[in-house]
Amino acid sequence: MQTLQAYIHDCLQPYNQATLHISDLSIQRGYGIFDFFKVQQGQPMFLDDYLKRFYESARQMELPVPLDTTELKEVIRQLIQANQLPLSGIKMILTGGYSESGYDIGKPNLIITEQPLTLPDQTIVTNGLKVITHSHVRELPEVKTINYTMGIRLLSNIKAAGAADMLYQQNGIVSEFPRCNFFIVTRDDVVVTPDKNVLSGITRKNVLQLARQKYKTEERAVTIADIAQAKEAFLTSTTKRILPIVQVDDLVIGNGKPGEITNELLADLIALEQTQL
Amino acid sequence: MQTLQAYIHDCLQPYNQATLHISDLSIQRGYGIFDFFKVQQGQPMFLDDYLKRFYESARQMELPVPLDTTELKEVIRQLIQANQLPLSGIKMILTGGYSESGYDIGKPNLIITEQPLTLPDQTIVTNGLKVITHSHVRELPEVKTINYTMGIRLLSNIKAAGAADMLYQQNGIVSEFPRCNFFIVTRDDVVVTPDKNVLSGITRKNVLQLARQKYKTEERAVTIADIAQAKEAFLTSTTKRILPIVQVDDLVIGNGKPGEITNELLADLIALEQTQL
């Protein structure tokens, strides 16, 4: 088996040996940010968008990034070159660094890993997903922090409900999944996605742009009542692209099958990805 | 300089060499719990209370603790024996463990460290603290997770305001500090502490017990208006014991000096600690 390389402590090293001292603020206080993008045939997809968000998350959390954009791109290039994976995801984590007090921010540790990526099974695209809702708003939804306390703690709830994921809502207004954005298509073919308390997903942005070429789009509050009236629903994420949602709690969406516009947007997204190669 | 020992990967090792692989869920997703207690003259203070809370936090986060109470106490004894510190704090961290998917909980990593402890400066006890408020409720206030995203991110705000700490409030109802509980003393000598959205501090519990012997105590909602009317205010924590608060935002508490009952409770708490030796 091939030994994957990772970038840590300012150089490439075998992933298996990549460690942080326990005084790192991610271990002590869950403090850090990250970002994640897809690499196809050696080409990072929509890299500039992901890097922009990464630097913005770092800024919001007062973490200086040790590399500038040019240096970071060069490291990413070297990592892709070293690992030679046909389809992969690259994750960049920036932690609070080694902290003597265990609370104050230190010199951030930058970790970049590359792992093989598996795209969602075609049966999910064909059948669609059931999701449940949970009353919660993330602490800093706009910032891609490493804090997934709620999402991971409730994995067993999702499983117990026979669901695929958990949609956050508060007072009937839905926002996002722990790792995906949410969309509905109304009965009059308007593509709608929540505007508040959501991470600015790069796939969300791409899908909005694609949808705008053919349909009316809206970024606005989406309620449970809107979902009950919707013709289609889907989620978006870097690894999952677009996945149809056919049920939210007890609400069956439309005719209970993946929608036409959902499938059309997925085809458009795959075509858009090709332009990055 | 003495090399401190830490417990990690099932044995005592030099603290300097204590590392986790980057696949640990604390680094990947900020997922873990911890607890922290004081050791004086080799004696852990109120250990059973801290261990009970540690196991309860672990249970709430679906993390099995690899050691039972008896085994954990034995490791703590060995660590204290190895390090021979006159006054220290012991921190137990239980992470989500090495996760292949980077999201699902693995076999938790248990880390136990002991560090020298410095008690608060006497001038703080004499002069009291200024604190600011911030609108926030922690995600899972009852669980001692490692998530301090908000507290650490706003350290610079606290500093800019010339304050010592930040009291969380929402809609005018205060709860707690990132790492301390909050108390007021009313004009008619009732010792009051918030009952909702707070961590069950062990020092909070001890102070309530001590206060109950001499005064009326209440656990209830505490509003900003209550603070404006209060005669005294203070915070409690394991490392800080009791520290008087003399200002909250622009509100000066009482006559702007540490209160009599605050000082009395601090003396009582120090006496109670002596019973643990």
PDB file of all heavy atoms in Angstrom, chain A residues 150-183:
ATOM      1  N   MET A 150     -21.947  19.235  17.973  1.00  0.00           N
ATOM      2  CA  MET A 150     -23.354  18.860  17.889  1.00  0.00           C
ATOM      3  C   MET A 150     -23.580  17.799  16.810  1.00  0.00           C
ATOM      4  O   MET A 150     -24.265  16.808  17.053  1.00  0.00           O
ATOM      5  CB  MET A 150     -24.184  20.115  17.601  1.00  0.00           C
ATOM      6  CG  MET A 150     -25.659  19.952  17.797  1.00  0.00           C
ATOM      7  SD  MET A 150     -26.118  19.491  19.487  1.00  0.00           S
ATOM      8  CE  MET A 150     -25.947  21.074  20.332  1.00  0.00           C
ATOM      9  N   GLY A 151     -23.003  18.025  15.640  1.00  0.00           N
ATOM     10  CA  GLY A 151     -23.218  17.089  14.530  1.00  0.00           C
ATOM     11  C   GLY A 151     -22.780  15.671  14.867  1.00  0.00           C
ATOM     12  O   GLY A 151     -23.509  14.705  14.600  1.00  0.00           O
ATOM     13  N   ILE A 152     -21.610  15.538  15.470  1.00  0.00           N
ATOM     14  CA  ILE A 152     -21.076  14.205  15.763  1.00  0.00           C
ATOM     15  C   ILE A 152     -21.813  13.562  16.933  1.00  0.00           C
ATOM     16  O   ILE A 152     -22.128  12.379  16.912  1.00  0.00           O
ATOM     17  CB  ILE A 152     -19.555  14.292  16.028  1.00  0.00           C
ATOM     18  CG1 ILE A 152     -18.848  14.689  14.733  1.00  0.00           C
ATOM     19  CG2 ILE A 152     -19.011  12.977  16.577  1.00  0.00           C
ATOM     20  CD1 ILE A 152     -17.365  14.972  14.864  1.00  0.00           C
ATOM     21  N   ARG A 153     -22.120  14.372  17.951  1.00  0.00           N
ATOM     22  CA  ARG A 153     -22.838  13.852  19.120  1.00  0.00           C
ATOM     23  C   ARG A 153     -24.189  13.261  18.720  1.00  0.00           C
ATOM     24  O   ARG A 153     -24.679  12.332  19.359  1.00  0.00           O
ATOM     25  CB  ARG A 153     -23.047  14.999  20.113  1.00  0.00           C
ATOM     26  CG  ARG A 153     -23.801  14.623  21.347  1.00  0.00           C
ATOM     27  CD  ARG A 153     -23.749  15.766  22.333  1.00  0.00           C
ATOM     28  NE  ARG A 153     -24.539  15.478  23.512  1.00  0.00           N
ATOM     29  CZ  ARG A 153     -25.764  15.954  23.716  1.00  0.00           C
ATOM     30  NH1 ARG A 153     -26.328  16.730  22.829  1.00  0.00           N
ATOM     31  NH2 ARG A 153     -26.408  15.650  24.827  1.00  0.00           N
ATOM     32  N   LEU A 154     -24.795  13.800  17.681  1.00  0.00           N
ATOM     33  CA  LEU A 154     -26.136  13.359  17.296  1.00  0.00           C
ATOM     34  C   LEU A 154     -26.137  12.344  16.151  1.00  0.00           C
ATOM     35  O   LEU A 154     -27.186  12.005  15.617  1.00  0.00           O
ATOM     36  CB  LEU A 154     -27.002  14.575  16.949  1.00  0.00           C
ATOM     37  CG  LEU A 154     -27.254  15.515  18.130  1.00  0.00           C
ATOM     38  CD1 LEU A 154     -28.040  16.738  17.698  1.00  0.00           C
ATOM     39  CD2 LEU A 154     -27.982  14.804  19.270  1.00  0.00           C
ATOM     40  N   LEU A 155     -24.946  11.846  15.780  1.00  0.00           N
ATOM     41  CA  LEU A 155     -24.875  10.828  14.721  1.00  0.00           C
ATOM     42  C   LEU A 155     -25.754   9.623  15.063  1.00  0.00           C
ATOM     43  O   LEU A 155     -26.414   9.048  14.184  1.00  0.00           O
ATOM     44  CB  LEU A 155     -23.427  10.358  14.523  1.00  0.00           C
ATOM     45  CG  LEU A 155     -22.534  11.257  13.658  1.00  0.00           C
ATOM     46  CD1 LEU A 155     -21.097  10.763  13.677  1.00  0.00           C
ATOM     47  CD2 LEU A 155     -23.065  11.317  12.224  1.00  0.00           C
ATOM     48  N   SER A 156     -25.776   9.252  16.346  1.00  0.00           N
ATOM     49  CA  SER A 156     -26.567   8.071  16.733  1.00  0.00           C
ATOM     50  C   SER A 156     -28.065   8.349  16.594  1.00  0.00           C
ATOM     51  O   SER A 156     -28.838   7.433  16.287  1.00  0.00           O
ATOM     52  CB  SER A 156     -26.226   7.633  18.156  1.00  0.00           C
ATOM     53  OG  SER A 156     -26.362   8.704  19.050  1.00  0.00           O
ATOM     54  N   ASN A 157     -28.483   9.613  16.797  1.00  0.00           N
ATOM     55  CA  ASN A 157     -29.895   9.972  16.584  1.00  0.00           C
ATOM     56  C   ASN A 157     -30.286   9.806  15.116  1.00  0.00           C
ATOM     57  O   ASN A 157     -31.371   9.329  14.796  1.00  0.00           O
ATOM     58  CB  ASN A 157     -30.158  11.444  16.948  1.00  0.00           C
ATOM     59  CG  ASN A 157     -30.093  11.699  18.435  1.00  0.00           C
ATOM     60  OD1 ASN A 157     -29.376  10.999  19.155  1.00  0.00           O
ATOM     61  ND2 ASN A 157     -30.824  12.692  18.909  1.00  0.00           N
ATOM     62  N   ILE A 158     -29.382  10.259  14.229  1.00  0.00           N
ATOM     63  CA  ILE A 158     -29.639  10.157  12.797  1.00  0.00           C
ATOM     64  C   ILE A 158     -29.807   8.688  12.410  1.00  0.00           C
ATOM     65  O   ILE A 158     -30.758   8.309  11.730  1.00  0.00           O
ATOM     66  CB  ILE A 158     -28.478  10.788  11.999  1.00  0.00           C
ATOM     67  CG1 ILE A 158     -28.343  12.274  12.341  1.00  0.00           C
ATOM     68  CG2 ILE A 158     -28.662  10.591  10.494  1.00  0.00           C
ATOM     69  CD1 ILE A 158     -27.091  12.936  11.762  1.00  0.00           C
ATOM     70  N   LYS A 159     -28.873   7.876  12.913  1.00  0.00           N
ATOM     71  CA  LYS A 159     -28.900   6.444  12.610  1.00  0.00           C
ATOM     72  C   LYS A 159     -30.187   5.798  13.150  1.00  0.00           C
ATOM     73  O   LYS A 159     -30.846   5.025  12.451  1.00  0.00           O
ATOM     74  CB  LYS A 159     -27.672   5.784  13.248  1.00  0.00           C
ATOM     75  CG  LYS A 159     -27.259   4.489  12.595  1.00  0.00           C
ATOM     76  CD  LYS A 159     -25.982   3.956  13.228  1.00  0.00           C
ATOM     77  CE  LYS A 159     -25.762   2.509  12.811  1.00  0.00           C
ATOM     78  NZ  LYS A 159     -24.652   1.881  13.555  1.00  0.00           N
ATOM     79  N   ALA A 160     -30.522   6.171  14.385  1.00  0.00           N
ATOM     80  CA  ALA A 160     -31.723   5.583  15.012  1.00  0.00           C
ATOM     81  C   ALA A 160     -32.983   5.913  14.226  1.00  0.00           C
ATOM     82  O   ALA A 160     -33.936   5.133  14.188  1.00  0.00           O
ATOM     83  CB  ALA A 160     -31.845   6.069  16.452  1.00  0.00           C
ATOM     84  N   ALA A 161     -32.986   7.088  13.583  1.00  0.00           N
ATOM     85  CA  ALA A 161     -34.157   7.513  12.807  1.00  0.00           C
ATOM     86  C   ALA A 161     -34.125   6.933  11.388  1.00  0.00           C
ATOM     87  O   ALA A 161     -35.032   7.190  10.595  1.00  0.00           O
ATOM     88  CB  ALA A 161     -34.213   9.038  12.751  1.00  0.00           C
ATOM     89  N   GLY A 162     -33.101   6.163  11.078  1.00  0.00           N
ATOM     90  CA  GLY A 162     -32.973   5.617   9.725  1.00  0.00           C
ATOM     91  C   GLY A 162     -32.767   6.720   8.702  1.00  0.00           C
ATOM     92  O   GLY A 162     -33.163   6.594   7.541  1.00  0.00           O
ATOM     93  N   ALA A 163     -32.152   7.827   9.136  1.00  0.00           N
ATOM     94  CA  ALA A 163     -31.980   8.979   8.248  1.00  0.00           C
ATOM     95  C   ALA A 163     -30.530   9.082   7.781  1.00  0.00           C
ATOM     96  O   ALA A 163     -29.644   8.407   8.304  1.00  0.00           O
ATOM     97  CB  ALA A 163     -32.394  10.258   8.967  1.00  0.00           C
ATOM     98  N   ALA A 164     -30.302   9.942   6.783  1.00  0.00           N
ATOM     99  CA  ALA A 164     -28.968  10.110   6.226  1.00  0.00           C
ATOM    100  C   ALA A 164     -28.258  11.328   6.800  1.00  0.00           C
ATOM    101  O   ALA A 164     -27.032  11.382   6.830  1.00  0.00           O
ATOM    102  CB  ALA A 164     -29.052  10.254   4.714  1.00  0.00           C
ATOM    103  N   ASP A 165     -29.036  12.299   7.263  1.00  0.00           N
ATOM    104  CA  ASP A 165     -28.403  13.506   7.789  1.00  0.00           C
ATOM    105  C   ASP A 165     -29.426  14.268   8.625  1.00  0.00           C
ATOM    106  O   ASP A 165     -30.588  13.872   8.729  1.00  0.00           O
ATOM    107  CB  ASP A 165     -27.852  14.380   6.649  1.00  0.00           C
ATOM    108  CG  ASP A 165     -26.607  15.160   7.070  1.00  0.00           C
ATOM    109  OD1 ASP A 165     -26.411  15.399   8.267  1.00  0.00           O
ATOM    110  OD2 ASP A 165     -25.827  15.532   6.170  1.00  0.00           O
ATOM    111  N   MET A 166     -28.969  15.375   9.197  1.00  0.00           N
ATOM    112  CA  MET A 166     -29.753  16.135  10.155  1.00  0.00           C
ATOM    113  C   MET A 166     -29.726  17.602   9.741  1.00  0.00           C
ATOM    114  O   MET A 166     -28.662  18.206   9.637  1.00  0.00           O
ATOM    115  CB  MET A 166     -29.092  15.950  11.514  1.00  0.00           C
ATOM    116  CG  MET A 166     -29.623  16.775  12.637  1.00  0.00           C
ATOM    117  SD  MET A 166     -28.796  16.292  14.190  1.00  0.00           S
ATOM    118  CE  MET A 166     -27.099  16.851  13.868  1.00  0.00           C
ATOM    119  N   LEU A 167     -30.915  18.140   9.501  1.00  0.00           N
ATOM    120  CA  LEU A 167     -31.057  19.533   9.059  1.00  0.00           C
ATOM    121  C   LEU A 167     -31.316  20.406  10.276  1.00  0.00           C
ATOM    122  O   LEU A 167     -32.267  20.173  11.015  1.00  0.00           O
ATOM    123  CB  LEU A 167     -32.234  19.610   8.068  1.00  0.00           C
ATOM    124  CG  LEU A 167     -32.596  20.952   7.445  1.00  0.00           C
ATOM    125  CD1 LEU A 167     -31.439  21.536   6.641  1.00  0.00           C
ATOM    126  CD2 LEU A 167     -33.849  20.800   6.564  1.00  0.00           C
ATOM    127  N   TYR A 168     -30.451  21.408  10.496  1.00  0.00           N
ATOM    128  CA  TYR A 168     -30.659  22.305  11.635  1.00  0.00           C
ATOM    129  C   TYR A 168     -31.810  23.255  11.339  1.00  0.00           C
ATOM    130  O   TYR A 168     -31.933  23.778  10.224  1.00  0.00           O
ATOM    131  CB  TYR A 168     -29.395  23.121  11.924  1.00  0.00           C
ATOM    132  CG  TYR A 168     -28.223  22.311  12.434  1.00  0.00           C
ATOM    133  CD1 TYR A 168     -26.924  22.573  12.002  1.00  0.00           C
ATOM    134  CD2 TYR A 168     -28.403  21.292  13.371  1.00  0.00           C
ATOM    135  CE1 TYR A 168     -25.835  21.850  12.485  1.00  0.00           C
ATOM    136  CE2 TYR A 168     -27.329  20.559  13.862  1.00  0.00           C
ATOM    137  CZ  TYR A 168     -26.041  20.842  13.414  1.00  0.00           C
ATOM    138  OH  TYR A 168     -24.976  20.132  13.894  1.00  0.00           O
ATOM    139  N   GLN A 169     -32.669  23.488  12.360  1.00  0.00           N
ATOM    140  CA  GLN A 169     -33.734  24.481  12.245  1.00  0.00           C
ATOM    141  C   GLN A 169     -33.865  25.164  13.599  1.00  0.00           C
ATOM    142  O   GLN A 169     -33.424  24.632  14.615  1.00  0.00           O
ATOM    143  CB  GLN A 169     -35.059  23.807  11.839  1.00  0.00           C
ATOM    144  CG  GLN A 169     -35.604  22.783  12.805  1.00  0.00           C
ATOM    145  CD  GLN A 169     -36.494  23.351  13.905  1.00  0.00           C
ATOM    146  OE1 GLN A 169     -36.926  24.495  13.827  1.00  0.00           O
ATOM    147  NE2 GLN A 169     -36.742  22.543  14.934  1.00  0.00           N
ATOM    148  N   GLN A 170     -34.423  26.342  13.595  1.00  0.00           N
ATOM    149  CA  GLN A 170     -34.757  27.009  14.846  1.00  0.00           C
ATOM    150  C   GLN A 170     -36.033  27.781  14.650  1.00  0.00           C
ATOM    151  O   GLN A 170     -36.136  28.580  13.708  1.00  0.00           O
ATOM    152  CB  GLN A 170     -33.620  27.929  15.292  1.00  0.00           C
ATOM    153  CG  GLN A 170     -33.769  28.319  16.759  1.00  0.00           C
ATOM    154  CD  GLN A 170     -32.493  28.904  17.344  1.00  0.00           C
ATOM    155  OE1 GLN A 170     -31.996  29.913  16.897  1.00  0.00           O
ATOM    156  NE2 GLN A 170     -31.974  28.258  18.386  1.00  0.00           N
ATOM    157  N   ASN A 171     -36.999  27.516  15.508  1.00  0.00           N
ATOM    158  CA  ASN A 171     -38.327  28.132  15.408  1.00  0.00           C
ATOM    159  C   ASN A 171     -38.912  27.971  14.008  1.00  0.00           C
ATOM    160  O   ASN A 171     -39.513  28.892  13.455  1.00  0.00           O
ATOM    161  CB  ASN A 171     -38.255  29.622  15.780  1.00  0.00           C
ATOM    162  CG  ASN A 171     -37.680  29.824  17.173  1.00  0.00           C
ATOM    163  OD1 ASN A 171     -37.977  29.045  18.087  1.00  0.00           O
ATOM    164  ND2 ASN A 171     -36.835  30.835  17.332  1.00  0.00           N
ATOM    165  N   GLY A 172     -38.693  26.803  13.432  1.00  0.00           N
ATOM    166  CA  GLY A 172     -39.303  26.496  12.143  1.00  0.00           C
ATOM    167  C   GLY A 172     -38.558  27.024  10.931  1.00  0.00           C
ATOM    168  O   GLY A 172     -38.972  26.788   9.799  1.00  0.00           O
ATOM    169  N   ILE A 173     -37.477  27.755  11.164  1.00  0.00           N
ATOM    170  CA  ILE A 173     -36.660  28.245  10.038  1.00  0.00           C
ATOM    171  C   ILE A 173     -35.427  27.359   9.914  1.00  0.00           C
ATOM    172  O   ILE A 173     -34.641  27.247  10.867  1.00  0.00           O
ATOM    173  CB  ILE A 173     -36.249  29.715  10.241  1.00  0.00           C
ATOM    174  CG1 ILE A 173     -37.508  30.598  10.310  1.00  0.00           C
ATOM    175  CG2 ILE A 173     -35.315  30.190   9.126  1.00  0.00           C
ATOM    176  CD1 ILE A 173     -37.230  32.036  10.659  1.00  0.00           C
ATOM    177  N   VAL A 174     -35.276  26.721   8.753  1.00  0.00           N
ATOM    178  CA  VAL A 174     -34.152  25.799   8.585  1.00  0.00           C
ATOM    179  C   VAL A 174     -32.915  26.555   8.101  1.00  0.00           C
ATOM    180  O   VAL A 174     -33.014  27.638   7.520  1.00  0.00           O
ATOM    181  CB  VAL A 174     -34.485  24.647   7.600  1.00  0.00           C
ATOM    182  CG1 VAL A 174     -35.727  23.879   8.071  1.00  0.00           C
ATOM    183  CG2 VAL A 174     -34.678  25.161   6.187  1.00  0.00           C
ATOM    184  N   SER A 175     -31.743  25.980   8.350  1.00  0.00           N
ATOM    185  CA  SER A 175     -30.511  26.664   7.938  1.00  0.00           C
ATOM    186  C   SER A 175     -29.631  25.764   7.065  1.00  0.00           C
ATOM    187  O   SER A 175     -29.506  25.992   5.862  1.00  0.00           O
ATOM    188  CB  SER A 175     -29.737  27.165   9.151  1.00  0.00           C
ATOM    189  OG  SER A 175     -29.536  26.127  10.096  1.00  0.00           O
ATOM    190  N   GLU A 176     -29.084  24.698   7.658  1.00  0.00           N
ATOM    191  CA  GLU A 176     -28.100  23.896   6.931  1.00  0.00           C
ATOM    192  C   GLU A 176     -27.933  22.560   7.636  1.00  0.00           C
ATOM    193  O   GLU A 176     -28.419  22.355   8.738  1.00  0.00           O
ATOM    194  CB  GLU A 176     -26.757  24.638   6.925  1.00  0.00           C
ATOM    195  CG  GLU A 176     -26.254  24.920   8.345  1.00  0.00           C
ATOM    196  CD  GLU A 176     -24.946  25.682   8.431  1.00  0.00           C
ATOM    197  OE1 GLU A 176     -24.373  26.060   7.393  1.00  0.00           O
ATOM    198  OE2 GLU A 176     -24.473  25.881   9.564  1.00  0.00           O
ATOM    199  N   PHE A 177     -27.211  21.658   7.003  1.00  0.00           N
ATOM    200  CA  PHE A 177     -26.774  20.416   7.632  1.00  0.00           C
ATOM    201  C   PHE A 177     -25.412  20.682   8.285  1.00  0.00           C
ATOM    202  O   PHE A 177     -24.751  21.674   7.954  1.00  0.00           O
ATOM    203  CB  PHE A 177     -26.638  19.317   6.583  1.00  0.00           C
ATOM    204  CG  PHE A 177     -27.930  18.946   5.916  1.00  0.00           C
ATOM    205  CD1 PHE A 177     -28.326  19.576   4.743  1.00  0.00           C
ATOM    206  CD2 PHE A 177     -28.763  17.978   6.463  1.00  0.00           C
ATOM    207  CE1 PHE A 177     -29.519  19.250   4.121  1.00  0.00           C
ATOM    208  CE2 PHE A 177     -29.961  17.647   5.858  1.00  0.00           C
ATOM    209  CZ  PHE A 177     -30.342  18.281   4.675  1.00  0.00           C
ATOM    210  N   PRO A 178     -24.959  19.770   9.181  1.00  0.00           N
ATOM    211  CA  PRO A 178     -23.627  19.988   9.760  1.00  0.00           C
ATOM    212  C   PRO A 178     -22.543  20.194   8.703  1.00  0.00           C
ATOM    213  O   PRO A 178     -21.625  20.971   8.905  1.00  0.00           O
ATOM    214  CB  PRO A 178     -23.381  18.698  10.553  1.00  0.00           C
ATOM    215  CG  PRO A 178     -24.739  18.196  10.911  1.00  0.00           C
ATOM    216  CD  PRO A 178     -25.630  18.590   9.761  1.00  0.00           C
ATOM    217  N   ARG A 179     -22.651  19.487   7.556  1.00  0.00           N
ATOM    218  CA  ARG A 179     -21.600  19.584   6.537  1.00  0.00           C
ATOM    219  C   ARG A 179     -22.111  19.889   5.130  1.00  0.00           C
ATOM    220  O   ARG A 179     -21.357  19.760   4.158  1.00  0.00           O
ATOM    221  CB  ARG A 179     -20.796  18.266   6.509  1.00  0.00           C
ATOM    222  CG  ARG A 179     -20.045  17.989   7.797  1.00  0.00           C
ATOM    223  CD  ARG A 179     -19.267  16.678   7.714  1.00  0.00           C
ATOM    224  NE  ARG A 179     -20.166  15.537   7.701  1.00  0.00           N
ATOM    225  CZ  ARG A 179     -19.775  14.277   7.511  1.00  0.00           C
ATOM    226  NH1 ARG A 179     -18.493  14.007   7.288  1.00  0.00           N
ATOM    227  NH2 ARG A 179     -20.653  13.295   7.545  1.00  0.00           N
ATOM    228  N   CYS A 180     -23.389  20.246   4.996  1.00  0.00           N
ATOM    229  CA  CYS A 180     -23.956  20.481   3.654  1.00  0.00           C
ATOM    230  C   CYS A 180     -24.923  21.673   3.705  1.00  0.00           C
ATOM    231  O   CYS A 180     -25.482  21.973   4.744  1.00  0.00           O
ATOM    232  CB  CYS A 180     -24.764  19.279   3.173  1.00  0.00           C
ATOM    233  SG  CYS A 180     -23.908  17.695   3.280  1.00  0.00           S
ATOM    234  N   ASN A 181     -25.139  22.295   2.561  1.00  0.00           N
ATOM    235  CA  ASN A 181     -26.181  23.308   2.430  1.00  0.00           C
ATOM    236  C   ASN A 181     -27.475  22.664   1.948  1.00  0.00           C
ATOM    237  O   ASN A 181     -27.482  21.536   1.460  1.00  0.00           O
ATOM    238  CB  ASN A 181     -25.727  24.413   1.470  1.00  0.00           C
ATOM    239  CG  ASN A 181     -24.638  25.286   2.057  1.00  0.00           C
ATOM    240  OD1 ASN A 181     -23.508  25.296   1.583  1.00  0.00           O
ATOM    241  ND2 ASN A 181     -24.950  26.020   3.113  1.00  0.00           N
ATOM    242  N   PHE A 182     -28.560  23.417   2.080  1.00  0.00           N
ATOM    243  CA  PHE A 182     -29.894  22.899   1.791  1.00  0.00           C
ATOM    244  C   PHE A 182     -30.593  23.785   0.756  1.00  0.00           C
ATOM    245  O   PHE A 182     -30.468  25.007   0.796  1.00  0.00           O
ATOM    246  CB  PHE A 182     -30.712  22.868   3.087  1.00  0.00           C
ATOM    247  CG  PHE A 182     -32.124  22.379   2.925  1.00  0.00           C
ATOM    248  CD1 PHE A 182     -32.378  21.058   2.599  1.00  0.00           C
ATOM    249  CD2 PHE A 182     -33.194  23.249   3.105  1.00  0.00           C
ATOM    250  CE1 PHE A 182     -33.691  20.596   2.448  1.00  0.00           C
ATOM    251  CE2 PHE A 182     -34.509  22.798   2.956  1.00  0.00           C
ATOM    252  CZ  PHE A 182     -34.748  21.474   2.633  1.00  0.00           C
ATOM    253  N   PHE A 183     -31.297  23.144  -0.157  1.00  0.00           N
ATOM    254  CA  PHE A 183     -32.067  23.847  -1.197  1.00  0.00           C
ATOM    255  C   PHE A 183     -33.465  23.236  -1.306  1.00  0.00           C
ATOM    256  O   PHE A 183     -33.641  22.043  -1.073  1.00  0.00           O
ATOM    257  CB  PHE A 183     -31.405  23.666  -2.575  1.00  0.00           C
ATOM    258  CG  PHE A 183     -30.190  24.508  -2.834  1.00  0.00           C
ATOM    259  CD1 PHE A 183     -28.960  24.172  -2.280  1.00  0.00           C
ATOM    260  CD2 PHE A 183     -30.248  25.624  -3.669  1.00  0.00           C
ATOM    261  CE1 PHE A 183     -27.822  24.929  -2.532  1.00  0.00           C
ATOM    262  CE2 PHE A 183     -29.122  26.387  -3.937  1.00  0.00           C
ATOM    263  CZ  PHE A 183     -27.896  26.042  -3.370  1.00  0.00           C
TER     264      PHE A 183
END
